[in-house]
Amino acid sequence: MEKLVIKGGNKLSGEVTVSGSKNAALPIFISTILAPGCHTISNVPFLRDINTTIKVLEKLGATVDGRGNVVKIDTTNLNSFEATYDLVRTMRASVLVLGPLLARFGQARVSLPGGCAIGARPINLHLKGLAALGAEITLEHGYVEAKAKKLKGARINFDISTVGGTEQLLMAAATAQGETILENAAREPEIVDLAEILIKMGADIDGAGTDTIRIKGVEGLVAAEHAVMPDRIEAGTFMIASAITGGDIKIKNMRLDHLDALSFKLQDAGVEITNKDNMVRVKGPKKIRNVNIKTRPYPGFPTDMQAQFMALMCIAEGASVISENIFENRFMHVSELLRFGADIICEGNSATVKGVKKLSGAPVMATDLRASASLILAALAADNTSEISRIYHLDRGYESIEKKLAGLGADIARVPDNEGP
């Protein structure tokens, strides 16, 4: 086990480059199942979840070769339509193989994903959509078994906006017979990125990025090359890192238009943000102003930035109300932020954060991916030294974040954690 040791108080400065998006790369990797051949995916981040996805593909019979940030995936000789529990349980996104396997082989057997620390994320909308496309679905012994000689286009209206469900049906419908219309579809940039590689494969897709997506099924797809979009959540985390330390940093390889909701709230808090020369400059104020947020599906404030923004509000002037409307269990970082001396009271899906003059370094424990980032941010702003354990959560979604922060002037190191479980 490892932990991070952070001595707070340094103002961050300099330039940092954002890695490719984890949340875009995972479905993009899985989409290669649909098209036999050798795909080339670039701007790939080195992360635990990427490695898990590669293992899933290799178990299905794919050949994967990664060099640098470029990964070649050859799906010519896939010989299995089953994703087993031992892999799916470690990463929920693995369940996305269901639609592509069904489209390619006419059948799929995929383990139901396990529980999730930040709340229940059922796949009922995935299954309902696949059934609408003509799949026969049974649940047995913890597995989803789906069969369909040929998927057929349908009009599918999601009860709630679902990123995973939209990705699942987008892939499954690409080679279905006839036209599929996805209504109340998720609008996230990662959906657009997935649609772009599918179009490069030969899919006929219109409307990705809006709440209505039309897919006209084609006979077959071919291998493609694609560069993964920048990780907007990593970029947002660096923006808050600059703000919370009163820093002045420039962020390269990011799309500011993917973070409008966060940018507006940071500017309300007094943060200066400028975008020119393909870089975003973020300058923290002397005093952070209090700001209320409510998480919403894209283009609203992202739930994946809620914990980080809460860390910022811990040192704001006045009180802020943070409402979490996406996941029911996403305040687990609160108890750890309290150890820094934060003043937070939770009631239902809302947390009232009263800013304090200074946070104090403390030993804390990460509970999930984004909670890990919030604890790093709090530690960067705190007096003295903090230790963050269970950082294996962090490695699921941030590529070498301690090295990137050290390059900006943070006093941060990854060390063995002899007291870890």
Side-chain angles (χ1 to χ4, degrees):
M1 299 292 291
E2 295 177 314
K3 64 183 176 182
L4 291 178
V5 178
I6 301 171
K7 185 175 181 181
N10 293 0
K11 292 186 177 183
L12 302 188
S13 63
E15 296 181 1
V16 65
T17 301
V18 173
S19 298
S21 166
K22 171 185 85 85
N23 289 340
L26 300 183
I28 284 171
F29 272 36
I30 290 169
S31 73
T32 63
I33 293 171
L34 290 165
C38 188
H39 304 255
T40 301
I41 315 298
S42 58
N43 198 35
V44 176
F46 285 108
L47 300 168
R48 283 181 58 200
D49 280 6
I50 294 293
N51 289 333
T52 299
T53 306
I54 289 173
K55 290 178 182 177
V56 170
L57 291 172
E58 288 178 334
K59 201 77 176 282
L60 295 173
T63 301
V64 184
D65 180 21
R67 297 181 183 180
N69 290 100
V70 178
V71 177
K72 293 184 180 294
I73 305 171
D74 191 338
T75 57
T76 303
N77 298 314
L78 292 191
N79 53 20
S80 173
F81 51 83
E82 179 174 344
T84 55
Y85 175 68
D86 61 319
L87 290 174
V88 176
R89 71 182 176 85
T90 64
M91 188 188 69
R92 291 188 54 86
S94 302
V95 78
L96 290 177
V97 302
L98 184 60
L101 287 175
L102 185 59
R104 179 160 172 179
F105 293 108
Q107 57 185 325
R109 186 172 189 267
V110 178
S111 170
L112 287 167
C116 180
I118 60 173
R121 293 195 274 180
I123 63 167
N124 58 306
L125 296 181
H126 299 228
L127 303 184
K128 184 178 178 181
L130 290 172
L133 295 179
E136 294 180 12
I137 295 172
T138 57
L139 301 177
E140 199 169 64
H141 306 303
Y143 279 78
V144 178
E145 296 190 16
K147 293 182 180 180
K149 289 184 178 180
K150 181 67 176 177
L151 295 175
K152 296 181 179 180
R155 181 184 293 269
I156 298 166
N157 190 305
F158 292 109
D159 294 335
I160 59 173
S161 177
T162 162
V163 174
T166 301
E167 292 169 341
Q168 184 83 265
L169 274 297
L170 191 60
M171 291 187 283
T175 56
Q177 191 175 57
E179 183 179 57
T180 298
I181 301 174
L182 304 181
E183 297 175 329
N184 195 28
R187 299 164 60 187
E188 274 74 0
E190 293 80 8
I191 300 290
V192 177
D193 212 30
L194 174 60
E196 286 180 358
I197 187 173
L198 290 172
I199 291 169
K200 290 175 182 176
M201 292 180 192
D204 187 343
I205 300 169
D206 182 58
T210 74
D211 60 5
T212 302
I213 304 175
R214 295 177 179 271
I215 309 110
K216 294 180 180 178
V218 297
E219 280 297 317
L221 301 174
V222 297
E225 295 185 7
H226 186 74
V228 177
M229 62 173 270
D231 195 309
R232 61 191 174 102
I233 305 305
E234 182 188 349
T237 302
F238 284 124
M239 294 175 78
I240 293 181
S242 185
I244 204 169
T245 64
D248 185 355
I249 72 172
K250 293 178 180 178
I251 307 174
K252 301 164 68 175
N253 190 38
M254 75 167 282
R255 291 276 304 272
L256 189 60
D257 60 318
H258 288 171
L259 288 164
D260 282 345
L262 173 64
S263 297
F264 294 150
K265 291 297 183 179
L266 286 175
Q267 288 171 327
D268 287 346
V271 180
E272 293 181 29
I273 301 172
T274 54
N275 185 13
K276 66 177 183 178
D277 300 327
N278 297 316
M279 280 194 291
V280 176
R281 182 181 179 185
V282 182
K283 187 176 181 181
K286 291 183 179 179
K287 294 286 186 180
I288 300 291
R289 295 194 293 264
N290 61 308
V291 178
N292 299 333
I293 64 166
K294 295 180 179 181
T295 62
R296 301 285 188 193
Y298 188 86
F301 193 95
T303 180
D304 279 353
M305 287 303 307
Q306 177 258 107
Q308 299 93 310
F309 199 86
M310 183 182 286
L312 179 64
M313 290 299 99
C314 286
I315 60 168
E317 293 183 315
S320 308
V321 177
I322 295 177
S323 301
E324 175 55 59
N325 298 305
I326 307 298
F327 295 123
E328 70 273 18
N329 252 354
R330 209 160 198 178
F331 283 151
M332 290 190 297
H333 47 280
V334 169
S335 60
E336 299 303 303
L337 289 174
L338 293 175
R339 293 176 57 80
F340 288 103
D343 185 347
I344 308 170
I345 299 176
C346 293
E347 186 173 348
N349 71 328
S350 292
T352 300
V353 186
K354 294 181 180 178
V356 297
K357 288 187 177 180
K358 199 71 178 175
L359 297 175
S360 177
V364 293
M365 181 178 67
T367 53
D368 61 67
L369 172 55
R370 305 309 172 185
S372 305
S374 74
L375 301 183
I376 290 175
L377 294 169
L380 290 173
D383 283 335
N384 302 316
T385 301
S386 301
E387 294 184 359
I388 304 173
S389 60
R390 294 195 175 182
I391 58 170
Y392 53 82
H393 291 292
L394 189 73
D395 296 333
R396 288 187 49 235
Y398 290 94
E399 182 179 27
S400 305
I401 191 170
E402 74 277 7
K403 294 178 182 178
K404 292 183 179 183
L405 288 170
L408 295 171
D411 189 339
I412 179 172
R414 181 183 290 247
V415 301
D417 184 3
N418 297 323
E419 298 180 2

